[in-house]
Amino acid sequence: MDFSPASPKERMIYYSEEWNPKDVPEFIIRSIKEKEFAFDHEGNGYTDRYNAFGNIHGLETKVKTLNPYAVCASTAYYEHPEQRAGWRGAELVFDIDAKDQPVRSCSCAIGSICEKCLEEAKGLALIIIDTLREDFGVKEVYLAYSGRGYHIHVLDKNAEPLENRQYMLDYVMGSIMPMDFQMVIGYAKTWRKMFALTLSKMKQEDFLFLNKNVANSAIANKELIIKNLNARMKNFISTPGIGKTSQDKILNEVMRLSGLTVDGKVTIDTKRILRLPTTLHSKISMICTLAKHPESFDPFNEAVPRFVLERAESNAPK
Amino acid sequence: MVVVNPFSQESRHYLNIDINKIDKSLIRLAIARSNENNNEKYIDLDDDKDIISLFLLLQSLSKTPYAPEVLVALNAFENLMKERITTYFSQEVIDEMKTLINIYDIDEHADRARPLKAIDFPSLGIIVPREDLFRLKDKKRGEVNYMVLWSDVYDVTNITKQYIIGSYMFVTKWELIDLYSKTLKKRCKEYMKKTSIKMEEISHPVYEQISSMVRSLIKVRTTIEHAPGNLSEGLFPPCVKIALGGVSSGQRNYAITILLTSFLSYARLMPSTKIFDRDSSFTLSQNDVELLINDVIPTIIEAGNRCEPPLFKEHSLEKLNIFYHLGFGMTNHPNVTDYGKSKWYLPPSCSKISENAPQLCQPDEFCKEVTWGIVDWEKVDGILKKVAEKDKTALGEDVLKILFKSPKTLKELSETLGSDEKELSFVLGTLTKNKLVRKRKITNPIIYYIRKKRASNQKS
């Protein structure tokens, strides 16, 4: 399929023929009066800010008039969204950008992505969602395909008022050593899952912080280390060829990398704007889509606008 | 029963009083309770006296909610509540605590009939492995008897150090008391912030008397080495030198308002690493505040004017922001009495600078320097006393002796002791494992300045 940028005509076709405001997620519609909306008209950035709508029809009119390059909604709820004043809380969000992953098991160049990258980003998102549900009792959580990765939206009365979200970020990313990683559930389990996920994706070039022989041992023993970790063994990194100092280095580096898998700035910023599900990511001609069934969600089946399929048809040999 | 939640509905009716008819003994009590040394006397207090004096104190101090005396007074309150709840801990007290945070008794909710490996909490919808509870008991050095909702105590604990399942955080009795007292302190802070706007317009002799007495009487728990002196620009880190020279649009606000404002003020008045210690507090004299106004602020403004285009020409409100970051609140003309109306912001860390203003972060050799310093002073002091009685000393002991005087780099240690760096690295590794020394990197521009100043003093 041809994912080159959408032309103004294609944007018009999408918003007039395919986009239905009723498909905008219910969690956005129910709080539409409290949200700020931002528009990027022609791909020059979100210069049109401070938009507020009393209902979905207001948004529909603006979108269908502009056929914008991109649309965002605030994660925050405001008393006066048109002034971004009177902060009442914000969704807890996590932004997983597939192209910015610090470790990837595929061989994509920096800045580019493949299906595997997207699948790995989704895998990470599902782990985060599990943690939020199991540990924090979060009930309402959504996964949205953003175009280059995934956004997690948490709507929870306990999480929305949080102003300092750094601890929450550290927790779900497993970037801090737990008091006892051998515990069966809780943060220890989250930490083990994140550690195993990050380590499993690390390649030779990700072990440059070790000398060559130790790095080779680490690569060769990766599966054993993960197996030991899952078995909650005390010295799980202690495998042939990896001394105590190197074990500490591996531990710290994997935790550091785990902490980089989510764009922390987005989570911490309580006045962030995020791409509005159902709208177009014009740069790559994909639809920002809420995943109804996250485990089986496939962006190449569910987030491709019709005009891209038509491009494929018109380019097909006759 | 004693007051456990001064913010409860029941406590409010004590506050319908006329400030003009307030009893003098209550004013004295409000002043005295700000000092932690008096806590023992106030564990048992009549409800009315307790609540009125507490709110009198909070209202009086809320004009300057970030002033050092506020921190000391709130710490005293937190510790008083800890002592009080510990003394009277009972079901009745727990019920009163529940009016502020959600508390669940493990025994009340656990269905221990479920055999072997897990304990079921059917009413809460969670199942917890018995192994985890054993481990938890061991880690927390005590029985885990209660659960609290994570969101009730999120701001007063580090959740990665807690055991949380299905939104319930498992805690010991002591943790419960600690978290509860900290939550109360947080509520006091929130109350003061809310009240501060109202109090700006109210000027009453009772409030003035309490705030000025508290300010003059409070003994600061840890006094920071207070060494105002001339700034040595040659010792500034590269990021500050770049910011001082003026930067271009895009990084101006960060360079001037965030970095220079905090760096220059602390470098001028408090060049000490203790500023990062949460338990430390400090007071600024009138002279210090005048130094900030007459000396530090003009330097910041000059740097702002050197930016391209000049910062204040485009963003005239940015000056207000600078005064706010220095602790003067939102004002156009800071004066001595404004000090403490907002927080005096600490200099940002090196990682924050490189993240937010990468052009400023151009590390030099000194930035990268790693020094070694003592961690456990008491233990090392004990070791050195024993060493003094011996004729011969080991290399590790020699290292400790040197580091006890001041932190050193590996190279400096090697030059002083005439030992091989490799051998010293091994010794330092062993001392680190034994938690006697640790590696110290420069993580903040103010640390760079302090260390470089110290090194320069030693040389001269």
Side-chain angles (χ1 to χ4, degrees), chain B residues 27-45 50 57 72-73 75-77 79-81 83-84 213-214 217-219:
Chain B
I27 300 174
R28 282 198 297 275
L29 182 57
I31 297 165
R33 69 180 299 159
S34 65
N35 186 343
E36 198 175 323
N37 295 333
N38 297 330
N39 272 359
E40 211 178 312
K41 285 188 260 172
Y42 303 133
I43 289 177
D44 297 288
L45 262 180
D50 196 2
L57 177 66
V72 178
N75 284 344
F77 171 68
N79 289 329
L80 169 68
M81 293 315 290
E83 285 174 45
R84 182 180 287 173
M213 282 301 282
V214 169
L217 286 175
I218 264 175
K219 268 195 176 175

Side-chain angles (χ1 to χ4, degrees), chain B residues 260-320:
Chain B
L260 266 195
T261 302
S262 54
F263 177 85
L264 290 178
S265 52
Y266 279 97
R268 183 79 169 90
L269 296 168
M270 296 277 169
S272 164
T273 50
K274 283 188 185 154
I275 57 173
F276 299 108
D277 184 354
R278 280 188 180 190
D279 289 332
S280 292
S281 187
F282 46 84
T283 45
L284 286 189
S285 67
Q286 189 171 329
N287 283 345
D288 297 334
V289 181
E290 279 169 2
L291 266 179
L292 266 182
I293 297 170
N294 302 325
D295 220 16
V296 177
I297 290 176
T299 317
I300 300 166
I301 305 286
E302 274 170 34
N305 288 335
R306 273 195 291 271
C307 291
E308 188 50 48
L311 177 63
F312 308 113
K313 208 174 169 186
E314 281 194 355
H315 301 281
S316 51
L317 287 177
E318 205 56 27
K319 270 188 192 169
L320 258 77

Side-chain angles (χ1 to χ4, degrees), chain A residues 27 224 264:
Chain A
F27 73 86
L224 178 62

Side-chain angles (χ1 to χ4, degrees), chain A residues 134-135 164 180 184-185 232, chain B residues 131-132 135 154 161 166-167:
Chain A
E134 287 173 14
D135 294 3
N164 176 0
D180 179 356
V184 183
I185 50 177
R232 298 189 287 125
Chain B
E131 181 187 337
D132 279 3
R135 286 184 170 277
Y154 175 83
K161 302 287 171 223
S167 79

